[in-house]
Amino acid sequence: MLLVQSFNFILVCRPESHPTLYEHIEGVDMPTVVVNKWTGKFQETHTYRYLNGLPIKDGEDALLVNWCELTVTRADGKIVYKNSFATNHTITAQTVAEIVLAGRTRWKVENENNNTLKTKSYNLEHNFGHGKEHLASFLATLNIFSLLFHTLLELVDDNYQLLRSHLPTRKTFFNDLRALTRYLIFDSWDHLLTFTIQGLELDLPPNSS
């Protein structure tokens, strides 16, 4: 379906979901790339394996895909990550790490964007089913826009950064803002943040208005 729409793909490919493909891999001496990386805390070894042109299922009409695997181990031999992917991109020693990174980034988006909107007081799932035409998508767009706005504030707003460092969970931060704006009127966003900082008896950043 993806190829019919002219899309490329990098999708998780596990032994339990693609047994035929893994039968073709078993016992094969395949190309391997080993990269040592320092995370800032640990020394890790990233071992990549890959093969091109594998059938994704039984049958002469089976789609041929390219397969790659990443295993991340620590110096003590402990495996901290292992996953494999199927793709239509040709895999080489020069491209395997980039392809795996793209495959992992899909879950990074899920965990750091979608999961945040669902579980960190953005209440995304509460909007499902509202409206007969466009209201659900409109409310979801507002949720996504709010996360984008807060992400931007984390990068450029000193007051926001200070508050989030002392109110680290989004739920606590949002609940405080809801309580304040329910009973008090503020001239601006900066006024609200400054009031909150002073209420927590924190020192205002040097450039704060």
Side-chain angles (χ1 to χ4, degrees):
M1 291 175 63
L2 292 169
L3 295 176
V4 167
Q5 298 299 324
S6 299
F7 291 144
N8 296 312
F9 63 86
I10 306 173
L11 302 173
V12 170
C13 181
R14 298 185 180 278
E16 56 268 25
S17 57
H18 298 84
T20 299
L21 185 149
Y22 278 86
E23 288 176 4
H24 286 78
I25 292 174
E26 188 175 357
V28 175
D29 184 15
M30 64 183 68
T32 302
V33 176
V34 179
V35 180
N36 293 314
K37 295 186 178 182
W38 174 251
T39 67
K41 293 183 178 180
F42 303 100
Q43 182 70 34
E44 293 183 345
T45 300
H46 291 221
T47 303
Y48 301 89
R49 301 193 304 158
Y50 64 93
L51 278 178
N52 292 301
L54 297 168
I56 201 167
K57 64 176 185 178
D58 284 325
E60 295 182 358
D61 62 340
L63 175 68
L64 297 181
V65 298
N66 306 318
W67 174 91
C68 55
E69 175 190 76
L70 169 62
T71 303
V72 179
T73 56
R74 296 264 170 84
D76 60 2
K78 179 182 178 181
I79 297 176
V80 295
Y81 179 84
K82 185 173 184 178
N83 209 348
S84 51
F85 303 89
T87 178
N88 65 319
H89 296 291
T90 301
I91 306 175
T92 67
Q94 290 71 38
T95 63
V96 63
E98 185 176 3
I99 288 172
V100 169
L101 177 61
R104 296 183 70 180
T105 300
R106 177 187 177 201
W107 296 106
K108 183 179 178 68
V109 171
E110 168 65 27
N111 292 331
E112 296 185 12
N113 182 79
N114 302 349
N115 187 58
T116 296
L117 290 173
K118 293 176 182 177
T119 63
K120 308 301 180 184
S121 296
Y122 287 94
N123 303 313
L124 178 64
E125 61 185 353
H126 294 174
N127 296 323
F128 296 162
H130 288 284
K132 295 182 179 180
E133 293 186 3
H134 307 299
L135 182 58
S137 60
F138 173 70
L139 293 174
T141 300
L142 291 180
N143 266 319
I144 294 170
F145 183 76
S146 66
L147 177 58
L148 174 63
F149 180 70
H150 296 149
T151 302
L152 181 62
L153 288 174
E154 289 179 356
L155 296 174
V156 302
D157 191 304
D158 293 336
N159 288 345
Y160 187 90
Q161 294 169 2
L162 177 62
L163 279 175
R164 284 305 310 277
S165 67
H166 284 79
L167 302 172
T169 67
R170 293 176 187 267
K171 184 175 182 180
T172 299
F173 179 66
F174 290 157
N175 284 342
D176 285 1
L177 294 189
R178 289 190 188 99
L180 288 172
T181 54
R182 181 173 184 177
Y183 298 108
L184 300 172
I185 296 175
F186 298 92
D187 297 330
S188 64
W189 173 253
D190 285 336
H191 183 201
L192 170 58
L193 295 187
T194 301
F195 180 90
T196 309
I197 290 171
Q198 292 172 337
L200 292 171
E201 298 182 348
L202 303 174
D203 294 329
L204 288 169
N207 297 325
S208 178
S209 58

